[in-house]
Amino acid sequence: GMRAAHSAGAIYAAGFVKSTIDASTPEGMASMGKFSLQGPYSLDDPSGTESETVSADMKSYTTEQGAKENAGGTWGQYEVGVAKIDATTGKPLAIFTWEGDGLDETTGVAVNGNVLAVSGHFTGNLTAVLKDGTSATIWNSNIEDTVSGVADNVDQFH
């Protein structure tokens, strides 16, 4: 779900982000998914010609990964994203993503000063790149299938 918080002149919007690149195609295998946020838009600049863009690299998945969603694609393609936006100007300041095999979803977000807390659930694993450049991965009970290397599709349901 989508969640938001406000602190120190910034709005933090959290929710699903998804790469629409199919990693099972030759074009998809040669591309890296990218999620971008652009703004601000206004009545004077509705097309955003004076806007700014922030982007984050995203993992791209094959269409076979994850449980099928009603709209097509897979739940396994969804990641968690948090956008930081200047509350006064609407200018995007940063975008952070967390990724893992399986569905990643936010259920809450809170911020106080420069400390951000995001809650949610996931299937499979969830990896976050830390401030020092290292990463940490946590696993839930829907551990990966030893043959395919991703969480069992049967365990990924809504």
Side-chain angles (χ1 to χ4, degrees):
M2 296 293 296
R3 302 290 183 255
H6 179 270
S7 180
I11 296 170
Y12 297 82
F16 287 132
V17 294
K18 176 183 175 182
S19 169
T20 57
I21 296 170
D22 182 356
S24 66
T25 65
E27 299 82 14
M29 290 175 12
S31 301
M32 176 64 168
K34 191 169 284 283
F35 182 83
S36 297
L37 179 64
Q38 185 176 356
Y41 295 89
S42 68
L43 291 175
D44 295 331
D45 185 17
S47 63
T49 56
E50 299 295 322
S51 64
E52 296 187 32
T53 303
V54 294
S55 299
D57 289 335
M58 292 190 64
K59 182 175 181 179
S60 295
Y61 296 87
T62 66
T63 55
E64 291 80 25
Q65 289 177 303
K68 293 289 181 189
E69 57 176 297
N70 292 335
T74 66
W75 284 113
Q77 294 174 322
Y78 287 94
E79 310 295 5
V80 172
V82 180
K84 182 179 179 181
I85 303 164
D86 185 294
T88 303
T89 67
K91 174 185 167 186
L93 302 173
I95 181 91
F96 312 96
T97 62
W98 289 267
E99 62 185 41
D101 293 318
L103 170 70
D104 307 318
E105 181 177 38
T106 54
T107 57
V109 62
V111 64
N112 187 359
N114 65 352
V115 177
L116 174 71
V118 179
S119 63
H121 73 273
F122 63 96
T123 59
N125 67 60
L126 183 66
T127 301
V129 177
L130 306 176
K131 187 175 182 178
D132 65 2
T134 62
S135 62
T137 300
I138 53 176
W139 294 85
N140 74 1
S141 60
N142 299 330
I143 58 172
E144 71 180 33
D145 174 319
T146 56
V147 175
S148 69
V150 296
D152 187 349
N153 289 344
V154 175
D155 292 330
Q156 300 180 50
F157 60 88
H158 264 272

